[in-house]
């Protein structure tokens, strides 16, 4: 089967079906925290789906802290009660795919926090990583090429410099979808990329000086177009 032959929504449906069956299995077998689930191969055969589908579903439940995989040992029910687990799985199955605007809004809220923390905590190695991403963005823009990925790598470098692994994980989680959707929704005019070079430089300088107030303000200024897109403000 070709990768593109299964749509995102179809993949989501398969994944949710497997998650529901894993929940039913846990309830039927009265599995408790610490109990081991059947292997991926056994679940694949039982649910009549591919092992990769099972793996994706397990990884999603791990992400929400409901399962725990131990290398060479297997997958185990996490330390959470059955009632709470059922409630959380119901919530997970009810989640809708986030629309682009909500992803951008989340990104704004996260980055106003991460840039402040980056200015407070950055190391010399962090500064080097941010500067490398900035230079890569500038080089692409000056060549007249699309620099969306380099732009987002710059912001990911700032998230890493924040020293907050949870915020960094959130950024890594939402960034791929933002990259795919940026041009689709025509949010940013390519002509503004040259302005972006200056704005990136100002953010970098504020982080380097460890000026948390200035870093947050420069990031907010940088997001002016996104603010207009999300909140219809001028």
């Amino acid at each position: 089967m070709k990768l593109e032959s299964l749509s995102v929504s179809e993949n989501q449906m398969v994944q949710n079906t497997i998650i529901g069956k894993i929940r039913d299995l846990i309830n039927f077998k009265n599995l408790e925290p610490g109990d081991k689930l059947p292997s991926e191969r056994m679940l694949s055969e039982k649910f009549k789906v591919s092992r990769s589908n099972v793996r994706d579903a397990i990884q999603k439940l791990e992400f929400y802290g409901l399962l725990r995989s131990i290398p060479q040992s297997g997958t185990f029910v996490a330390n959470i009660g059955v009632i709470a687990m059922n409630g959380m799985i119901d919530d997970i199955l009810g989640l809708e795919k986030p629309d682009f605007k909500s992803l951008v809004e989340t990104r704004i809220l996260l980055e106003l926090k991460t840039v402040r923390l980056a200015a407070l905590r950055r190391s010399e190695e962090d500064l080097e990583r941010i500067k490398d991403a900035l230079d890569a963005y500038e080089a692409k823009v000056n060549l007249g090429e699309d620099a969306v990925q380099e732009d987002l790598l710059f912001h990911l470098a700032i998230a890493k410099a924040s020293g907050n692994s949870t915020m960094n994980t959130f950024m890594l989680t939402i960034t791929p979808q933002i990259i795919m959707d940026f041009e689709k929704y025509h949010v940013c005019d390519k002509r503004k990329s040259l302005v972006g070079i200056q704005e990136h430089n100002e953010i970098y300088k504020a982080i380097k000086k460890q000026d948390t107030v200035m870093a947050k303000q420069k990031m907010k200024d940088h997001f002016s177009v996104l603010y207009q897109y999300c909140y219809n403000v001028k």
Side-chain angles (χ1 to χ4, degrees):
M1 178 183 290
K2 291 184 178 179
L3 186 62
E4 63 269 23
S5 64
L6 198 61
S7 70
V8 173
S9 59
E10 288 171 333
N11 268 317
Q12 186 73 38
M13 288 175 61
V14 171
Q15 194 177 92
N16 284 351
T17 299
I18 296 170
I19 288 173
K21 288 181 177 180
I22 290 175
R23 175 195 57 195
D24 294 342
L25 181 68
I26 291 172
N27 290 327
F28 180 73
K29 289 186 172 291
N30 294 317
L31 297 181
E32 297 182 353
D35 286 347
K36 185 177 179 179
L37 287 182
S39 68
E40 286 181 6
R41 180 182 60 79
M42 292 177 68
L43 291 175
S44 170
E45 292 173 356
K46 182 178 180 64
F47 300 154
K48 295 180 172 55
V49 294
S50 71
R51 287 183 65 174
S52 64
N53 288 143
V54 171
R55 191 175 304 116
D56 288 342
I58 287 174
Q59 286 175 348
K60 187 167 186 177
L61 290 173
E62 280 188 282
F63 177 80
Y64 287 105
L66 300 180
L67 296 179
R68 183 168 56 95
S69 290
I70 301 176
Q72 311 303 320
S73 297
T75 302
F76 300 83
V77 178
N79 189 26
I80 184 169
V82 173
I83 293 175
M85 175 175 285
N86 283 329
M88 288 182 70
I89 289 178
D90 285 342
D91 287 342
I92 292 168
L93 295 178
L95 287 175
E96 295 180 1
K97 182 178 178 291
D99 59 81
F100 181 58
K101 187 173 286 189
S102 69
L103 284 173
V104 172
E105 185 175 41
T106 301
R107 179 190 169 190
I108 291 172
L109 295 172
L110 278 174
E111 292 214 52
L112 292 179
K113 294 292 185 183
T114 58
V115 73
R116 184 180 177 280
L117 291 175
L120 190 67
R121 300 170 176 171
R122 98 289 184 280
S123 65
E124 292 302 314
E125 184 181 349
D126 290 325
L127 282 177
E128 208 171 299
R129 190 180 298 110
I130 295 169
K131 186 64 165 64
D132 286 345
L134 191 159
D135 291 344
Y137 173 78
E138 185 171 354
K140 274 285 191 75
V141 171
N142 286 333
L143 288 171
E145 298 177 5
D146 181 273
V148 170
Q149 293 192 38
E150 286 72 19
D151 180 20
L152 289 168
L153 286 173
F154 171 78
H155 291 277
L156 285 175
I158 292 173
K160 186 172 179 62
S162 74
N164 186 307
S165 59
T166 302
M167 285 188 178
N168 191 34
T169 298
F170 280 147
M171 281 293 292
L172 287 168
T173 301
I174 67 176
T175 293
Q177 189 63 47
I178 289 176
I179 289 176
M180 288 189 286
D181 287 348
F182 238 74
E183 289 202 350
K184 176 182 175 183
Y185 292 96
H186 305 289
V187 177
C188 293
D189 191 327
K190 287 185 178 180
R191 292 172 295 181
K192 294 186 180 293
S193 296
L194 288 170
V195 178
I197 294 174
Q198 180 60 33
E199 292 174 346
H200 280 193
N201 270 291
E202 290 175 355
I203 293 167
Y204 169 73
K205 287 174 184 176
I207 293 173
K208 187 175 183 179
K209 290 179 182 177
Q210 295 192 294
D211 188 332
T212 57
V213 175
M214 183 60 71
K216 183 177 179 179
Q217 184 57 53
K218 291 300 181 182
M219 184 65 80
K220 193 171 182 179
D221 293 344
H222 180 53
F223 282 153
S224 61
V225 173
L226 295 183
Y227 266 97
Q228 291 174 29
Y229 177 75
C230 285
Y231 308 116
N232 296 316
V233 297
K234 298 296 182 183

